[in-house]
Amino acid sequence: MKMTKPLLLTILSLFVFDASAMAISSLMLTNPETKAGVFTLDNTDEITYFLKTSVSKVEIVDNKIIKTPYTRDNLDSWDIATKPSKLVIEPNMVKEIQVESICGERCDTDKDQVYQINIQPVSYSTEGKQQSKINMLFGFSPYYIVPAKVSNVEYLLDYKGDTITAKNSGNTMIDIVIDQCDKDGVIDEDDDRALCKANFTILAGRTRDVHVPEVLQADELEVMVLNHDESYREEIRLSRGE
């Protein structure tokens, strides 16, 4: 028997907990500024976790990602805040972290506002015994995006060899989707490396080279370009250059 096996790929590098210990609802959340965003954490471990959150503003400067941590020194420039900032998750419990807009009239709605929500474990002790899990050295660092009020989608795609060079010169993120799940030539069910779908997210202002998985490569490559809510959708065909 043969089947297709979709796999989502993103360009974002994110730290995560031990998969057997904690799960998070999303590693990239887009949310209108009028609503509070919600990340859900599920503790499937047998111990209690003490967590703290922090926020970094993410900006693109000369095609580089610049992260500015929120601290007491720049409190007046904070756009968002997490609630709660500290939390305890007992075994087999689920809790939420809300992300609220606090910038009011200062909010910039002309372009995407991008943040990284850092969720880190902290050590604690009871009766003199250390309770934190030593091997959980990293936490979640999901991206949180408040999209531009009006999407101005502008981009260029250049396909050469096994790489698409994507230049996003608009004011909002785009997703580049390669979907061959409904096409012929699907791969054996037992092949865990099989890909029939890839999704690459390009932040506004970024130019990125993204690798097209070998199984998806073709001289004529059909891709879909979407904005955050799919109100913009364009199907294009890319011809592979040398």
Side-chain angles (χ1 to χ4, degrees), residues 3-6 178-186 196-197:
M3 64 178 293
T4 58
K5 303 179 73 174
I178 306 171
D179 186 353
Q180 296 185 2
C181 297
D182 295 329
K183 297 183 181 296
D184 295 333
V186 292
C196 67
K197 185 175 183 179

Side-chain angles (χ1 to χ4, degrees), residues 33 57-61 107-115 145-152 169-173 204-205:
E33 55 134 348
K57 180 70 178 288
V58 178
E59 297 176 288
I60 308 301
V61 179
C107 293
D108 183 357
T109 61
D110 292 335
K111 61 181 180 180
D112 285 3
Q113 301 300 306
V114 184
Y115 311 90
I145 301 176
V146 180
K149 189 172 183 179
V150 178
S151 291
N152 178 23
S169 55
N171 70 345
T172 190
M173 57 167 280

Side-chain angles (χ1 to χ4, degrees), residues 22 41-44 47-51 87-97:
M22 188 77 68
L41 295 171
D42 183 4
N43 182 7
T44 60
I47 67 172
T48 298
Y49 284 102
F50 282 56
L51 306 175
L87 65 159
V88 179
I89 307 183
E90 297 176 341
N92 301 313
M93 295 295 291
V94 175
K95 288 198 175 180
E96 294 181 345
I97 297 174

Side-chain angles (χ1 to χ4, degrees), residues 132-178:
S132 61
K133 199 170 187 179
I134 302 302
N135 67 350
M136 196 177 73
L137 299 178
F138 300 106
F140 294 110
S141 295
Y143 275 63
Y144 181 77
I145 301 176
V146 180
K149 189 172 183 179
V150 178
S151 291
N152 178 23
V153 179
E154 295 182 8
Y155 63 90
L156 291 174
L157 302 180
D158 185 27
Y159 178 34
K160 291 183 178 179
D162 60 1
T163 301
I164 296 176
T165 299
K167 180 179 181 180
N168 181 1
S169 55
N171 70 345
T172 190
M173 57 167 280
I174 59 172
D175 282 332
I176 300 170
V177 182
I178 306 171

Side-chain angles (χ1 to χ4, degrees), residues 1-241:
M1 177 180 179
K2 293 188 177 184
M3 64 178 293
T4 58
K5 303 179 73 174
L7 179 66
L8 177 66
L9 300 177
T10 70
I11 64 168
L12 302 175
S13 297
L14 301 165
F15 293 120
V16 297
F17 285 82
D18 182 340
S20 65
M22 188 77 68
I24 190 169
S25 56
S26 176
L27 289 177
M28 188 177 68
L29 177 64
T30 59
N31 200 57
E33 55 134 348
T34 55
K35 300 179 181 178
V38 176
F39 290 99
T40 302
L41 295 171
D42 183 4
N43 182 7
T44 60
D45 210 338
E46 297 179 353
I47 67 172
T48 298
Y49 284 102
F50 282 56
L51 306 175
K52 66 177 181 179
T53 67
S54 61
V55 177
S56 294
K57 180 70 178 288
V58 178
E59 297 176 288
I60 308 301
V61 179
D62 296 330
N63 202 39
K64 296 180 180 178
I65 296 178
I66 306 298
K67 299 177 183 179
T68 304
Y70 278 2
T71 67
R72 292 182 179 180
D73 294 334
N74 57 20
L75 183 62
D76 291 342
S77 64
W78 289 18
D79 297 333
I80 62 172
T82 55
K83 182 180 181 181
S85 61
K86 297 179 180 180
L87 65 159
V88 179
I89 307 183
E90 297 176 341
N92 301 313
M93 295 295 291
V94 175
K95 288 198 175 180
E96 294 181 345
I97 297 174
Q98 293 191 4
V99 183
E100 298 181 339
S101 174
I102 59 172
C103 52
E105 294 182 354
R106 291 190 297 105
C107 293
D108 183 357
T109 61
D110 292 335
K111 61 181 180 180
D112 285 3
Q113 301 300 306
V114 184
Y115 311 90
Q116 194 166 40
I117 310 300
N118 306 298
I119 306 169
Q120 301 290 341
V122 294
S123 61
Y124 70 101
S125 60
T126 57
E127 298 181 354
K129 295 182 179 180
Q130 198 75 5
Q131 298 295 320
S132 61
K133 199 170 187 179
I134 302 302
N135 67 350
M136 196 177 73
L137 299 178
F138 300 106
F140 294 110
S141 295
Y143 275 63
Y144 181 77
I145 301 176
V146 180
K149 189 172 183 179
V150 178
S151 291
N152 178 23
V153 179
E154 295 182 8
Y155 63 90
L156 291 174
L157 302 180
D158 185 27
Y159 178 34
K160 291 183 178 179
D162 60 1
T163 301
I164 296 176
T165 299
K167 180 179 181 180
N168 181 1
S169 55
N171 70 345
T172 190
M173 57 167 280
I174 59 172
D175 282 332
I176 300 170
V177 182
I178 306 171
D179 186 353
Q180 296 185 2
C181 297
D182 295 329
K183 297 183 181 296
D184 295 333
V186 292
I187 301 173
D188 287 340
E189 177 180 22
D190 295 332
D191 188 350
D192 291 336
R193 297 168 297 175
L195 300 172
C196 67
K197 185 175 183 179
N199 180 19
F200 306 97
T201 299
I202 314 296
L203 298 178
R206 282 282 276 166
T207 298
R208 289 292 304 258
D209 289 336
V210 295
H211 173 72
V212 180
E214 183 177 358
V215 71
L216 298 181
Q217 294 174 24
D219 290 337
E220 298 291 327
L221 189 64
E222 295 180 359
V223 304
M224 178 84 71
V225 178
L226 309 167
N227 68 341
H228 72 281
D229 61 358
E230 300 188 14
S231 59
Y232 178 92
R233 172 187 290 259
E234 183 178 13
E235 295 184 33
I236 60 176
R237 181 184 294 268
L238 299 177
S239 296
R240 176 156 55 183

